[in-house]
Every structure is written in C-alpha cells, then in structure tokens.
Amino acid sequence: MYSVSEIKRPANTTQTASLWNGLLETGQAEMNVRAGEPLFFEGDEADFVYEVLDGVFCCYSLLPDGRRQVTGFVHPGDIIGLGSQATYHTNCDAVCDAMVRSIPRSRLMRVAEERPELGSRLLNCATEQLAGMQQHFVLLGRKSAKEKLASFLLTLARRYAGEDAGEVTFVLPMTRSDIADYLGLTIETVSRTFTKLKTAGVIDLPQSTTVHVRDILRLEETAEAMDCGV
Amino acid sequence: MYSVSEIKRPANTTQTASLWNGLLETGQAEMNVRAGEPLFFEGDEADFVYEVLDGVFCCYSLLPDGRRQVTGFVHPGDIIGLGSQATYHTNCDAVCDAMVRSIPRSRLMRVAEERPELGSRLLNCATEQLAGMQQHFVLLGRKSAKEKLASFLLTLARRYAGEDAGEVTFVLPMTRSDIADYLGLTIETVSRTFTKLKTAGVIDLPQSTTVHVRDILRLEETAEAMDCGV
DNA sequence: CGTGAGGTTGATCGCTTTCAACGGAGGTGG
DNA sequence: CCACCTCCGTTGAAAGCGATCAACCTCACG
C-alpha cells in the first residue's frame, strides 16, 4: 500500500552546510548514541555543543514528582547545547540510534571571538530557536488536543516532505509518551486523538509509528492557523 | 498596613550596565510608550532592537480566532526584538507607561562584526532567554492552575525583592487578562486561584493589583519545584 | 510460547472553561 | 456633585475536555 521507498525517515535527511562549516578545522569529533541513551543531563557541565548528523534527540525537563515536559525534538542539521551558561538546562536523550558531531564549547567561543561570522551564525541559530519556541507556547497554552497533534504532525510532514505535498508518509521516531510530553497531554489522549484524525480521514496509520497524511490541507485546518500572525 | 515605600514597583528597578554599554556611542534614541500602546506588531520589519528602561512590556501571539498567548513580559534592563529575522515574531505592547532605548538593528549587527565582545553579549542574551523559556514550557505543559500562578508570583517576587526575603509586597503592572494569557488559563481561573492562595494564607491582596507574599516558602512549595532539575 | 514494553480503548472523575450575574474604580458629561 | 458608563475583577452554576484508572491488544524478543 505504501512502498517503503516513499516513507520518509528523519535519518534520511541529508543536511547541507554545518553551522561551523569551514571555520573549524580541528577539535571536532563524531559520536554514536544508541536509542534511549542520554547525550547529557540537566545540570551537567556544558562542555560540548553538538550538531546532530543522524537520528533524533529529545530535550526535556522533569519536575520532582516525575512529570516531564519535552521542550523540543532535535533533528539532523540542528544544534544542541548552544548556550553560554556553564551547565545544560535540559536533559537530552536519543529517541533512536543517532550520531552527533561534538565540539568543545570553549573552542567554539574562542573561534567566535576571532571570526565574527561564526558569532553571527551562532546568534542566528539561537534566535531561530527562540522564534520556534514562540509558536510552541501558543500550542501549549491555547490549543486543544486535536489542534496540538495536528500542528505537531504538520511540522513533521513539512520537515520530512516539504511544504506543498498533498500527501506524505513518514515514520515517527518518537514514542507516544514523547509526543504526549511534548504536547502537554497524556499518552491516552494522544492515542485517542490519533484515532480521531484517522476516523476523520485526515491521516492513516498503517502502523502505529507510520503516519500517512491523506489531506494536508485538512491537517492545516485542524492545526488552526499555525503560522497566521493575525 | 503596607506603607507605600515598601511596595516594590517594576519601574523602580534601576538597571546597571546596558547590553551595548560602551560599545555604541551613537545611533541610540530614547522613546516613551504609553500604557496599552504597541511597540511593534508581529510581522513588522524588525528594524530596531529595544532595551527597556522603565515600565513593562508584554509580547504575545494571536490565533486567527482571537485566542492569545503571552510569550513573555519584558522588564527594565531586558532586551526586546533581538533576532536575526527580518520581521518581529510577536506583537509587543506596553502594559504600563514605559520608556525604551532603541537602536537600529543594522547598526547593532555592524558593530557586532567589529567587536566580538558585543556578539558574545548578544548570544548570551539570546541563550538566557532560551533557558528561561524552557521553564515556561514546563509551566504551560505540566502545571496546575495553582502551580502556574504560584510560579508566576514567585518569579515576580524574586525579581522585585531578591531571593531570600520572607515577605514581599509588590504591584502587578499587568491585568488579569495578561496573566491568564501568559499562564494559559482564563481570567476567571486566575481570579479564583488568587482567591485560593489568599484563603490559604500564602498571599494577601490588599488591592487587586497589589500582592503581598506572606510566606515565600509556602509559595515555593505551591509552585512545585520551579528550579529543581531532577 | 511466555514475557514485557508500547499502544489502544472504555468508563469515570475532576479541573478548568464557559456562561452569567454582580461589584467596584475611574472617567465623562449633564 | 452626581448619574451614568465602561473596564476590570470576582463569584456562582453548569458543562466539557482531558486526566485517571483499568483492561486488553500487538508485536518484538528470548
């Protein structure tokens, strides 16, 4: 029904230029992280900045009673751990087998002092993250469960398949629990909402981890004005 | 009961060093903004970066049906509009009479190219904002109404009075509506929750805009582990 | 074939929202 | 000076959405 070759996977994403491409010749190291394993913990010394080469990571905070909020998923080409603080301010796990390129923060900052171009790229990267987080505030604070999940799937669909495809099929690398904690819901509500979107004919779920968007326009309508400023 | 001189107001906050202190001799301009008036709108050309000198601003996004999410309050000493995008990604209003110092973005970026020190301060400013937003994700996604309001009041209490005061009194510059849209609640729930905190003896409300924290430890307990990483 | 983790579905509960009425503060004009 | 109006905040009653508790299913793995 859906040939494997059509199914988009985050791991397939081939990124173009690295953030520090051409500016750092040495000091980088590549590193594999297995599914479910941590890259770092909240409060750890923030000695490294990472660029995701393959796989997906999940950044989250915990409350003492165990409640968890996923603050973001980090995909190939994205940067993790950018920050001037001495320690990381979230935990970070790989949600599937992954690979990162690491660079010592001290070296990155030293080079940024010499090469203003790098500094400006870093600032750009940080403010892009800020802009993305604004939208997530709206989602968490003001959207219904259905709108939340539709918004989330829409973001993934666009990332994996570009804006304009009418139909897309992709694999969810993260679990229902990760999605729930990202959207501020429970796993039961996420599951029920998946079923509702399926029943409504907006998506198909050939497997629980495979999403087929049947009608991206209806998904956009359901997500309620993701990008509409006014 | 509470002498006026003890009541902290955000306007009183005297900030020390400006972000670009000593690095920009010209190009700055000061500007007054009246309560309720906009500083800029989402989508506007982001020609200026502002430093708040006095008063409080409120940044927010709107959904097309009118739902609003306040993404942050901006206090004296804070920076608004930092970003490399061509346009602002939120609306921004003054919640009370305010004053800002503006600087053309182009000039700021040009100087940053020459003075890496400024670039690093800008990056620092951006990543501090990122870190603060992480905590707000936890609040929006995982906290109850009581925990949300307690967390919010605690943040204000600390800002206005330092960490360790047992009792603090301060004026809320923003309306219940602003608070509700910041915490992802309705004004009714915010109002009811204020009453609950008052009934529980955690705070007093001599006036609706004046908060007296009677027991900051109990406020911290109610806020549930604001800063507890694990 | 047993086991355990992840996912789905059902029934019920409860917190927050919604709808509605009321009260107080500030501003305006007769 | 006071009646009137509007905005903001509070409170009550009822409804609804998502959470909670619980059972069951599916699939990978040993």
Coordinates of all heavy atoms in Angstrom, one line a residue, chain B residues 124-212:
Chain B
N124 N 24.8 35.7 24.4 CA 24.5 35.4 25.8 C 23.1 35.8 26.2 O 22.3 35.0 26.8 CB 25.5 36.2 26.7 CG 25.5 35.7 28.1 OD1 25.6 34.5 28.3 ND2 25.5 36.5 29.1
C125 N 22.7 36.9 25.7 CA 21.3 37.4 25.9 C 20.3 36.5 25.3 O 19.3 36.1 26.0 CB 21.2 38.8 25.3 SG 19.6 39.6 25.5
A126 N 20.5 36.0 24.1 CA 19.6 35.1 23.5 C 19.5 33.8 24.2 O 18.4 33.2 24.4 CB 20.0 34.9 22.0
T127 N 20.6 33.2 24.6 CA 20.6 31.9 25.2 C 20.0 32.0 26.7 O 19.4 31.0 27.1 CB 22.0 31.3 25.3 OG1 22.9 32.1 26.0 CG2 22.5 31.0 23.9
E128 N 20.2 33.1 27.3 CA 19.5 33.3 28.6 C 18.0 33.3 28.4 O 17.2 32.7 29.2 CB 19.9 34.6 29.3 CG 21.1 34.5 30.2 CD 21.6 35.8 30.7 OE1 20.7 36.8 30.7 OE2 22.7 35.9 31.1
Q129 N 17.5 33.9 27.3 CA 16.1 33.9 27.0 C 15.7 32.5 26.8 O 14.6 32.0 27.2 CB 15.8 34.8 25.8 CG 15.8 36.3 26.1 CD 15.4 37.1 24.9 OE1 14.5 36.7 24.2 NE2 16.0 38.3 24.8
L130 N 16.5 31.7 26.0 CA 16.2 30.3 25.7 C 16.0 29.5 27.0 O 15.0 28.8 27.2 CB 17.3 29.7 24.9 CG 17.3 30.0 23.4 CD1 18.5 29.4 22.8 CD2 16.1 29.5 22.7
A131 N 16.9 29.7 28.0 CA 16.9 29.0 29.2 C 15.6 29.3 30.0 O 15.0 28.4 30.6 CB 18.1 29.3 30.1
G132 N 15.2 30.6 30.0 CA 14.0 31.0 30.7 C 12.8 30.4 30.1 O 11.8 30.0 30.8
M133 N 12.8 30.3 28.8 CA 11.6 29.7 28.1 C 11.4 28.2 28.4 O 10.3 27.7 28.4 CB 11.8 30.0 26.6 CG 11.6 31.4 26.2 SD 12.1 31.8 24.6 CE 10.6 31.6 23.6
Q134 N 12.5 27.5 28.6 CA 12.4 26.1 29.0 C 11.5 25.9 30.2 O 10.7 25.0 30.2 CB 13.8 25.5 29.3 CG 14.9 25.8 28.3 CD 14.8 24.8 27.1 OE1 14.0 23.9 27.1 NE2 15.7 25.1 26.1
Q135 N 11.8 26.7 31.2 CA 11.0 26.6 32.4 C 9.5 27.0 32.2 O 8.6 26.4 32.8 CB 11.5 27.6 33.5 CG 12.8 27.2 34.1 CD 13.2 28.0 35.3 OE1 12.3 28.3 36.1 NE2 14.4 28.4 35.4
H136 N 9.3 27.9 31.2 CA 7.9 28.2 31.0 C 7.2 27.1 30.2 O 5.9 27.0 30.3 CB 7.8 29.5 30.2 CG 6.5 30.2 30.3 ND1 5.9 30.5 31.5 CD2 5.6 30.7 29.3 CE1 4.7 31.1 31.3 NE2 4.5 31.2 30.0
F137 N 7.9 26.3 29.4 CA 7.3 25.2 28.8 C 6.8 24.2 29.9 O 5.7 23.7 29.7 CB 8.3 24.4 27.9 CG 8.6 25.0 26.6 CD1 9.8 25.1 26.0 CD2 7.5 25.5 25.8 CE1 10.0 25.6 24.8 CE2 7.7 26.0 24.6 CZ 9.0 26.1 24.1
V138 N 7.6 24.0 30.9 CA 7.1 23.1 32.0 C 5.9 23.6 32.6 O 4.9 22.9 32.9 CB 8.2 22.9 33.0 CG1 7.8 22.0 34.1 CG2 9.5 22.3 32.4
L139 N 5.9 24.9 32.8 CA 4.7 25.5 33.5 C 3.5 25.3 32.6 O 2.4 24.9 33.1 CB 5.0 27.0 33.7 CG 3.9 27.8 34.3 CD1 4.5 29.0 35.2 CD2 2.9 28.4 33.3
L140 N 3.6 25.7 31.3 CA 2.4 25.6 30.4 C 1.9 24.2 30.2 O 0.7 23.9 30.1 CB 2.7 26.3 29.1 CG 2.8 27.8 29.0 CD1 3.2 28.2 27.7 CD2 1.4 28.4 29.4
G141 N 2.9 23.3 30.1 CA 2.5 21.9 29.7 C 2.1 21.0 30.8 O 1.3 20.1 30.7
R142 N 2.7 21.3 32.0 CA 2.6 20.3 33.1 C 2.1 20.7 34.4 O 2.0 20.0 35.3 CB 4.0 19.6 33.2 CG 4.3 18.7 32.1 CD 3.3 17.5 32.0 NE 3.5 16.6 30.9 CZ 2.5 16.1 30.2 NH1 1.3 16.4 30.5 NH2 2.7 15.3 29.2
K143 N 1.9 22.0 34.6 CA 1.5 22.5 35.9 C 0.0 22.8 36.0 O -0.6 23.2 35.0 CB 2.3 23.8 36.3 CG 3.8 23.4 36.6 CD 4.5 24.6 37.3 CE 5.9 24.2 37.6 NZ 6.6 25.3 38.3
S144 N -0.5 22.7 37.2 CA -1.9 23.0 37.5 C -2.1 24.5 37.6 O -1.1 25.3 37.7 CB -2.4 22.4 38.8 OG -1.7 23.0 39.9
A145 N -3.3 25.0 37.6 CA -3.5 26.4 37.7 C -2.9 27.0 39.0 O -2.2 28.1 38.9 CB -5.0 26.7 37.8
K146 N -3.0 26.3 40.1 CA -2.4 26.8 41.3 C -0.9 26.9 41.2 O -0.3 27.9 41.6 CB -2.8 25.9 42.5 CG -2.9 26.5 43.8 CD -3.6 25.5 44.8 CE -3.9 26.1 46.1 NZ -4.6 25.1 47.0
E147 N -0.3 25.9 40.7 CA 1.2 25.9 40.5 C 1.6 26.9 39.5 O 2.6 27.6 39.7 CB 1.6 24.5 40.0 CG 1.5 23.4 41.0 CD 1.6 22.0 40.4 OE1 1.4 21.8 39.2 OE2 2.0 21.1 41.1
K148 N 0.8 27.1 38.5 CA 1.2 28.2 37.5 C 1.2 29.6 38.1 O 2.2 30.3 38.0 CB 0.1 28.2 36.3 CG 0.3 27.0 35.3 CD -0.8 27.1 34.3 CE -0.6 26.0 33.2 NZ -1.7 26.1 32.2
L149 N 0.1 29.9 38.8 CA 0.1 31.2 39.4 C 1.1 31.4 40.5 O 1.8 32.5 40.5 CB -1.3 31.5 40.0 CG -1.5 32.9 40.5 CD1 -1.3 34.0 39.3 CD2 -2.9 33.1 41.1
A150 N 1.3 30.4 41.3 CA 2.4 30.5 42.3 C 3.7 30.7 41.7 O 4.5 31.5 42.2 CB 2.3 29.2 43.2
S151 N 4.0 29.9 40.6 CA 5.3 30.1 39.9 C 5.5 31.5 39.4 O 6.6 32.1 39.5 CB 5.4 29.1 38.8 OG 5.2 27.8 39.2
F152 N 4.4 32.0 38.8 CA 4.5 33.3 38.3 C 4.7 34.4 39.4 O 5.6 35.2 39.2 CB 3.1 33.6 37.6 CG 3.0 35.0 37.1 CD1 3.8 35.5 36.0 CD2 2.0 35.9 37.6 CE1 3.7 36.8 35.6 CE2 1.9 37.2 37.1 CZ 2.7 37.6 36.1
L153 N 4.0 34.3 40.5 CA 4.2 35.3 41.5 C 5.6 35.1 42.2 O 6.2 36.1 42.5 CB 3.1 35.0 42.6 CG 1.7 35.4 42.2 CD1 0.7 35.1 43.3 CD2 1.5 36.8 41.7
L154 N 6.0 33.9 42.2 CA 7.4 33.7 42.8 C 8.4 34.4 41.9 O 9.4 35.0 42.5 CB 7.6 32.2 42.9 CG 8.8 31.7 43.7 CD1 8.6 32.2 45.2 CD2 8.9 30.2 43.7
T155 N 8.3 34.2 40.6 CA 9.3 34.9 39.7 C 9.2 36.4 39.9 O 10.3 37.0 40.0 CB 8.9 34.5 38.3 OG1 8.9 33.1 38.1 CG2 9.9 35.2 37.3
L156 N 8.0 37.0 40.0 CA 7.9 38.4 40.2 C 8.5 38.8 41.6 O 9.3 39.8 41.7 CB 6.5 38.9 40.1 CG 5.8 38.8 38.8 CD1 4.4 39.3 38.8 CD2 6.6 39.6 37.7
A157 N 8.2 38.0 42.6 CA 8.7 38.3 44.0 C 10.2 38.4 44.0 O 10.8 39.3 44.6 CB 8.2 37.3 45.0
R158 N 10.8 37.4 43.3 CA 12.3 37.3 43.3 C 12.8 38.5 42.5 O 13.9 39.0 42.9 CB 12.7 36.0 42.7 CG 12.5 34.8 43.6 CD 12.9 33.5 43.0 NE 12.7 32.5 44.0 CZ 12.6 31.2 43.6 NH1 12.6 30.8 42.4 NH2 12.5 30.3 44.6
R159 N 12.2 38.8 41.4 CA 12.7 39.9 40.6 C 12.6 41.2 41.3 O 13.5 42.0 41.2 CB 11.9 40.0 39.3 CG 12.2 41.2 38.4 CD 11.4 41.3 37.2 NE 11.9 40.4 36.2 CZ 12.9 40.7 35.3 NH1 13.4 41.9 35.3 NH2 13.3 39.8 34.4
Y160 N 11.5 41.4 42.0 CA 11.3 42.7 42.7 C 12.0 42.8 44.0 O 12.2 43.9 44.5 CB 9.8 43.0 42.8 CG 9.1 43.1 41.5 CD1 7.7 42.9 41.5 CD2 9.8 43.5 40.4 CE1 7.0 43.1 40.3 CE2 9.1 43.6 39.2 CZ 7.7 43.4 39.1 OH 7.1 43.5 37.9
A161 N 12.3 41.7 44.6 CA 12.7 41.7 46.0 C 13.9 40.9 46.4 O 14.3 40.8 47.5 CB 11.6 41.4 47.0
G162 N 14.5 40.2 45.4 CA 15.6 39.3 45.7 C 15.1 38.0 46.3 O 13.9 37.9 46.6
E163 N 16.0 37.0 46.3 CA 15.5 35.6 46.5 C 15.1 35.4 47.9 O 14.1 34.6 48.2 CB 16.7 34.7 46.3 CG 17.1 34.6 44.8 CD 16.8 33.2 44.3 OE1 16.4 32.4 45.0 OE2 16.9 33.1 43.0
D164 N 15.7 36.0 48.9 CA 15.6 35.4 50.3 C 14.6 36.1 51.2 O 14.5 35.8 52.4 CB 17.0 35.4 50.9 CG 17.8 36.6 50.5 OD1 17.2 37.7 50.1 OD2 19.0 36.6 50.5
A165 N 14.0 37.2 50.7 CA 13.0 37.9 51.6 C 11.9 36.9 52.0 O 11.3 36.3 51.2 CB 12.5 39.1 51.0
G166 N 11.5 36.9 53.2 CA 10.4 36.1 53.7 C 9.1 36.6 53.3 O 8.1 35.9 52.9
E167 N 9.0 38.0 53.3 CA 7.7 38.6 52.9 C 8.1 39.7 51.9 O 9.1 40.4 52.0 CB 7.0 39.3 54.1 CG 6.7 38.3 55.2 CD 5.5 38.7 56.0 OE1 5.0 39.8 55.8 OE2 5.2 38.0 57.0
V168 N 7.2 39.9 50.9 CA 7.4 40.9 49.9 C 6.1 41.5 49.5 O 5.1 40.8 49.5 CB 8.0 40.3 48.6 CG1 8.6 41.4 47.7 CG2 8.9 39.1 48.8
T169 N 6.0 42.7 49.2 CA 4.8 43.3 48.6 C 5.2 44.0 47.3 O 6.2 44.7 47.2 CB 4.2 44.4 49.6 OG1 4.0 43.7 50.8 CG2 2.9 44.9 49.0
F170 N 4.4 43.8 46.3 CA 4.7 44.4 45.0 C 3.4 44.6 44.2 O 2.4 44.0 44.5 CB 5.7 43.6 44.2 CG 5.3 42.2 43.9 CD1 4.5 41.8 42.8 CD2 5.7 41.1 44.8 CE1 4.1 40.5 42.6 CE2 5.3 39.8 44.6 CZ 4.5 39.5 43.5
V171 N 3.6 45.5 43.2 CA 2.4 45.9 42.4 C 2.5 45.1 41.1 O 3.6 45.0 40.5 CB 2.4 47.4 42.1 CG1 1.4 47.7 41.0 CG2 2.1 48.1 43.4
L172 N 1.4 44.5 40.7 CA 1.3 43.8 39.4 C 1.0 44.9 38.3 O 0.0 45.5 38.3 CB 0.2 42.8 39.4 CG 0.3 41.6 40.3 CD1 -1.0 40.8 40.3 CD2 1.4 40.7 39.8
P173 N 1.9 45.1 37.4 CA 1.7 46.1 36.4 C 0.7 45.6 35.3 O 0.1 46.4 34.6 CB 3.1 46.3 35.7 CG 3.8 45.1 36.0 CD 3.3 44.5 37.3
M174 N 0.5 44.2 35.2 CA -0.3 43.7 34.2 C -1.7 43.3 34.7 O -1.9 43.1 35.9 CB 0.4 42.5 33.5 CG 0.6 41.3 34.4 SD 1.8 41.5 35.7 CE 3.3 41.4 34.8
T175 N -2.6 43.2 33.8 CA -4.0 42.8 34.1 C -4.2 41.3 34.3 O -3.3 40.6 33.9 CB -5.0 43.3 33.0 OG1 -4.7 42.5 31.9 CG2 -4.9 44.8 32.8
R176 N -5.3 40.9 34.8 CA -5.6 39.5 35.0 C -5.6 38.8 33.6 O -5.3 37.7 33.5 CB -7.0 39.3 35.6 CG -7.1 39.8 37.1 CD -6.3 38.9 38.0 NE -6.5 39.3 39.4 CZ -5.7 40.1 40.1 NH1 -4.7 40.7 39.5 NH2 -6.0 40.4 41.4
S177 N -6.1 39.6 32.6 CA -6.1 39.1 31.3 C -4.7 38.7 30.7 O -4.5 37.7 30.1 CB -6.8 40.1 30.4 OG -6.8 39.6 29.0
D178 N -3.8 39.6 31.0 CA -2.4 39.4 30.6 C -1.8 38.2 31.3 O -1.2 37.3 30.7 CB -1.5 40.6 30.9 CG -1.9 41.8 30.1 OD1 -2.3 41.6 28.9 OD2 -1.7 43.0 30.6
I179 N -2.1 38.1 32.6 CA -1.6 37.0 33.4 C -2.2 35.7 32.9 O -1.5 34.7 32.7 CB -1.9 37.1 34.9 CG1 -1.3 38.4 35.4 CG2 -1.5 35.9 35.7 CD1 -1.7 38.8 36.8
A180 N -3.5 35.7 32.6 CA -4.2 34.5 32.1 C -3.6 34.0 30.8 O -3.3 32.8 30.6 CB -5.7 34.7 31.9
D181 N -3.4 35.0 29.9 CA -2.8 34.6 28.6 C -1.4 34.2 28.7 O -0.8 33.5 27.8 CB -3.0 35.8 27.6 CG -4.5 35.9 27.2 OD1 -5.3 35.0 27.4 OD2 -4.8 37.0 26.7
Y182 N -0.7 34.6 29.7 CA 0.7 34.2 29.9 C 0.7 32.7 30.5 O 1.6 32.0 30.1 CB 1.4 35.1 30.9 CG 2.8 34.8 31.2 CD1 3.8 34.8 30.2 CD2 3.3 34.6 32.5 CE1 5.1 34.5 30.5 CE2 4.6 34.3 32.8 CZ 5.5 34.3 31.8 OH 6.8 34.0 32.0
L183 N -0.2 32.4 31.4 CA -0.2 31.1 32.0 C -1.1 30.1 31.3 O -1.1 28.9 31.8 CB -0.7 31.3 33.5 CG 0.1 32.3 34.4 CD1 -0.5 32.3 35.7 CD2 1.5 31.8 34.5
G184 N -1.7 30.5 30.2 CA -2.5 29.5 29.5 C -3.8 29.2 30.3 O -4.3 28.0 30.3
L185 N -4.4 30.2 30.9 CA -5.6 30.0 31.7 C -6.6 31.0 31.3 O -6.4 31.8 30.4 CB -5.3 30.2 33.2 CG -4.3 29.2 33.8 CD1 -3.9 29.7 35.2 CD2 -4.9 27.8 33.9
T186 N -7.8 31.0 31.9 CA -8.8 32.1 31.7 C -8.7 33.1 32.8 O -8.2 32.8 33.9 CB -10.2 31.5 31.6 OG1 -10.5 30.9 32.9 CG2 -10.4 30.6 30.5
I187 N -9.3 34.3 32.6 CA -9.2 35.3 33.7 C -10.0 34.8 34.9 O -9.6 35.1 36.0 CB -9.7 36.7 33.2 CG1 -11.1 36.5 32.6 CG2 -8.8 37.3 32.2 CD1 -11.8 37.9 32.3
E188 N -11.0 34.1 34.7 CA -11.8 33.6 35.8 C -11.0 32.6 36.7 O -11.0 32.7 37.9 CB -13.1 32.8 35.3 CG -14.1 33.7 34.7 CD -14.0 33.7 33.2 OE1 -12.8 33.6 32.7 OE2 -15.0 33.9 32.5
T189 N -10.3 31.7 36.0 CA -9.4 30.8 36.8 C -8.3 31.5 37.5 O -8.0 31.2 38.6 CB -8.9 29.7 35.8 OG1 -9.9 29.0 35.2 CG2 -8.0 28.7 36.5
V190 N -7.7 32.5 36.9 CA -6.7 33.3 37.5 C -7.3 33.9 38.8 O -6.7 33.9 39.9 CB -6.1 34.3 36.6 CG1 -5.2 35.3 37.3 CG2 -5.3 33.7 35.5
S191 N -8.4 34.5 38.6 CA -9.0 35.2 39.7 C -9.4 34.3 40.9 O -9.0 34.5 42.0 CB -10.3 35.9 39.2 OG -10.9 36.6 40.3
R192 N -10.0 33.1 40.5 CA -10.3 32.1 41.5 C -9.0 31.6 42.2 O -9.0 31.4 43.4 CB -11.0 30.9 40.9 CG -12.5 31.1 40.8 CD -13.1 29.8 40.2 NE -13.5 30.0 38.8 CZ -14.7 30.4 38.5 NH1 -15.6 30.7 39.5 NH2 -15.1 30.6 37.3
T193 N -7.9 31.5 41.5 CA -6.7 30.9 42.0 C -6.1 32.0 43.0 O -5.5 31.6 44.0 CB -5.8 30.5 40.9 OG1 -6.5 29.7 40.0 CG2 -4.6 29.7 41.5
F194 N -6.1 33.2 42.6 CA -5.7 34.3 43.5 C -6.4 34.2 44.9 O -5.8 34.2 45.9 CB -6.0 35.7 42.9 CG -4.8 36.3 42.2 CD1 -4.8 36.6 40.9 CD2 -3.6 36.6 42.9 CE1 -3.7 37.1 40.2 CE2 -2.5 37.2 42.3 CZ -2.6 37.4 40.9
T195 N -7.8 34.0 44.8 CA -8.6 33.9 46.0 C -8.2 32.7 46.8 O -8.1 32.7 48.0 CB -10.1 33.8 45.6 OG1 -10.4 34.9 44.8 CG2 -10.9 33.7 46.8
K196 N -7.9 31.6 46.1 CA -7.4 30.4 46.8 C -6.1 30.6 47.6 O -6.0 30.2 48.7 CB -7.3 29.2 45.9 CG -8.6 28.5 45.5 CD -8.3 27.3 44.6 CE -9.6 26.9 43.9 NZ -9.4 26.0 42.7
L197 N -5.2 31.2 46.9 CA -3.9 31.5 47.5 C -4.0 32.4 48.7 O -3.4 32.3 49.8 CB -2.9 32.1 46.5 CG -2.4 31.2 45.4 CD1 -1.5 31.9 44.5 CD2 -1.6 30.0 46.0
K198 N -5.0 33.3 48.6 CA -5.3 34.3 49.7 C -5.9 33.5 50.9 O -5.5 33.7 52.0 CB -6.2 35.3 49.1 CG -6.5 36.5 50.0 CD -7.3 37.5 49.3 CE -8.2 38.3 50.2 NZ -9.1 39.2 49.3
T199 N -6.9 32.7 50.6 CA -7.6 31.9 51.6 C -6.7 31.0 52.3 O -6.8 30.8 53.5 CB -8.8 31.1 51.0 OG1 -9.6 32.0 50.2 CG2 -9.6 30.4 52.0
A200 N -5.7 30.4 51.5 CA -4.8 29.5 52.1 C -3.7 30.2 53.0 O -2.9 29.6 53.6 CB -4.1 28.7 51.0
G201 N -3.7 31.6 52.9 CA -2.8 32.4 53.8 C -1.4 32.5 53.1 O -0.5 33.0 53.8
V202 N -1.3 32.2 51.9 CA 0.0 32.3 51.2 C 0.3 33.7 50.8 O 1.4 34.2 51.0 CB 0.1 31.4 50.0 CG1 1.5 31.5 49.3 CG2 -0.2 29.9 50.4
I203 N -0.7 34.4 50.4 CA -0.6 35.8 50.0 C -1.7 36.6 50.5 O -2.7 36.1 51.0 CB -0.6 36.0 48.4 CG1 -1.9 35.5 47.8 CG2 0.6 35.2 47.8 CD1 -2.1 35.9 46.4
D204 N -1.6 37.9 50.5 CA -2.7 38.9 50.7 C -2.9 39.7 49.4 O -1.9 39.9 48.7 CB -2.3 39.8 51.9 CG -2.9 39.4 53.2 OD1 -3.7 38.4 53.1 OD2 -2.6 39.9 54.2
L205 N -4.1 40.2 49.3 CA -4.4 41.1 48.2 C -5.0 42.3 48.7 O -6.2 42.5 48.6 CB -5.3 40.4 47.2 CG -4.7 39.3 46.3 CD1 -5.8 38.6 45.5 CD2 -3.7 39.9 45.3
P206 N -4.2 43.2 49.2 CA -4.8 44.5 49.7 C -5.6 45.2 48.6 O -6.6 45.8 48.9 CB -3.6 45.3 50.2 CG -2.4 44.5 49.8 CD -2.8 43.2 49.4
Q207 N -5.1 45.2 47.4 CA -5.9 45.6 46.3 C -5.6 44.5 45.2 O -4.7 43.7 45.3 CB -5.4 47.0 45.7 CG -5.4 48.1 46.7 CD -4.4 49.2 46.3 OE1 -4.5 49.8 45.3 NE2 -3.4 49.4 47.2
S208 N -6.4 44.6 44.1 CA -6.3 43.5 43.2 C -5.0 43.6 42.4 O -4.5 42.6 41.9 CB -7.5 43.7 42.1 OG -7.3 44.8 41.4
T209 N -4.4 44.7 42.4 CA -3.1 44.8 41.8 C -1.9 44.8 42.7 O -0.7 44.9 42.3 CB -3.0 46.1 40.9 OG1 -3.2 47.2 41.8 CG2 -4.0 46.2 39.8
T210 N -2.2 44.7 44.0 CA -1.1 44.7 45.0 C -1.0 43.3 45.6 O -2.0 42.9 46.2 CB -1.3 45.7 46.1 OG1 -1.5 47.0 45.4 CG2 -0.1 45.8 47.0
V211 N 0.1 42.7 45.5 CA 0.3 41.3 46.0 C 1.3 41.4 47.2 O 2.3 42.0 47.1 CB 0.9 40.3 45.0 CG1 1.2 39.0 45.6 CG2 0.0 40.2 43.8
H212 N 0.8 40.9 48.3 CA 1.7 40.8 49.5 C 2.0 39.3 49.7 O 1.1 38.5 50.1 CB 1.1 41.4 50.7 CG 1.8 41.2 52.0 ND1 3.1 41.8 52.2 CD2 1.6 40.4 53.0 CE1 3.5 41.3 53.4 NE2 2.6 40.5 53.9

